[in-house]
Amino acid sequence: MNIPTQTLRVVFAASAFASSVILVLFVRGRAEWTTAFWLQLVAASLALCAGVCFVAFRKGGMRLDGVPWWPFVGLFLRQLALVYAASAIVIAALALAIIYAITRSGPNALALAVLAGLWLSLWLAPGVASLTTWRRLRRTTVGDTLQS
């Protein structure tokens, strides 16, 4: 039994939407939280997500054809773990540098940076893991057809 063809696209789109909501909240977070703010947040996040998905999905990107479940699950979970760990480290290091430059308080900066790295990576990692999984599967499939 094969995995549904749109699986990676759904995971990527959900991750892209969550990440775009966080980005828009970061940019406009100090605004008054009115109904208009939330509508603008959703509209801006959807537009950003649609643009990212358009670029990622053009020319059949992230479409799975004839991929069995178990090899896919193993590869995706491995990619998800690697991407989560790498993005958590990078985001935490970046946040530590920025927060420490502002507050000049090491323990507080470290605590906030680790929290930011772990939390933001939860939303970003599935999308990046979808992309890397698709590229690995595509490379394997292209390599198999070239050897035949």
Side-chain angles (χ1 to χ4, degrees):
M1 185 170 170
N2 293 334
I3 194 145
T5 60
Q6 306 296 327
T7 302
L8 287 179
R9 287 180 171 190
V10 169
V11 171
F12 182 85
S15 176
F17 181 71
S19 298
S20 65
V21 167
I22 292 168
L23 178 65
V24 172
L25 276 173
F26 180 74
V27 171
R28 299 226 30 229
R30 291 202 173 256
E32 186 179 342
W33 289 8
T34 62
T35 303
F37 167 79
W38 292 110
L39 291 174
Q40 290 171 359
L41 171 82
V42 170
S45 298
L46 282 174
L48 187 60
C49 179
V52 169
C53 287
F54 175 76
V55 171
F57 300 160
R58 70 176 186 255
K59 298 180 185 174
M62 287 204 231
R63 185 175 167 83
L64 300 173
D65 290 321
V67 177
W69 271 94
W70 294 116
F72 169 79
V73 169
L75 177 62
F76 182 74
L77 290 178
R78 190 171 39 251
Q79 291 295 316
L80 185 62
L82 289 172
V83 168
Y84 179 77
S87 63
I89 290 169
V90 168
I91 292 171
L94 209 118
L96 178 61
I98 293 169
I99 295 169
Y100 184 76
I102 294 170
T103 65
R104 297 286 183 210
S105 172
N108 290 340
L110 182 61
L112 284 173
V114 168
L115 184 63
L118 294 174
W119 185 78
L120 289 173
S121 294
L122 283 175
W123 308 110
L124 186 62
V128 177
S130 296
L131 188 61
T132 58
T133 299
W134 176 70
R135 287 186 178 191
R136 273 244 171 121
L137 288 172
R138 186 178 65 169
R139 190 172 3 145
T140 303
T141 305
V142 170
D144 290 344
T145 56
L146 290 177
Q147 291 175 0
S148 300

